[in-house]
């Protein structure tokens, strides 16, 4: 899976998980620097399961919205 495909996968699945729009999730990922993190840590994250990633994103976004 390419980095771009992985980012898209993460945004779309997190939007579905949160029952929110993809554009809103994209903006949250970008503002919190999670989008950049997905790129820099691609090798570590792309093999993780969906449930792990959803929890990881919850934690990341929670910590960066304080």
């Amino acid at each position: 899976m390419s980095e771009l495909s992985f980012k898209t996968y993460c945004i779309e699945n997190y939007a579905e998980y949160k029952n929110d729009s993809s554009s809103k999730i994209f903006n949250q990922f970008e503002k919190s620097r999670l989008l950049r993190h997905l790129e820099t840590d691609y090798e570590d994250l792309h093999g993780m399961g969906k449930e792990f990633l959803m929890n990881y994103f919850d934690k990341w976004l929670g910590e960066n919205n304080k």
Side-chain angles (χ1 to χ4, degrees):
M1 178 182 292
S2 71
E3 287 181 19
L4 179 59
S5 295
F6 179 63
K7 288 179 190 178
T8 303
Y9 169 85
C10 291
I11 292 166
E12 293 295 329
N13 279 282
Y14 194 66
E16 182 178 323
Y17 170 73
K18 296 304 262 185
N19 197 28
D20 219 331
S21 72
S22 299
S23 60
K24 182 176 177 184
I25 298 301
F26 172 82
N27 289 331
Q28 288 178 333
F29 276 30
E30 190 171 48
K31 182 180 176 185
S32 70
R33 300 185 49 89
L34 179 53
L35 204 56
R36 176 77 176 129
H37 177 65
L38 292 175
E39 184 178 316
T40 59
D41 285 9
Y42 170 76
E43 289 300 322
D44 293 330
L45 294 173
H46 85 279
M48 300 298 173
K50 184 176 174 180
E51 184 176 344
F52 172 87
L53 288 172
M54 299 304 107
N55 291 325
Y56 186 82
F57 300 155
D58 278 342
K59 184 175 180 184
W60 180 281
L61 293 170
E63 289 176 356
N64 287 293
N65 285 327
K66 291 181 182 177

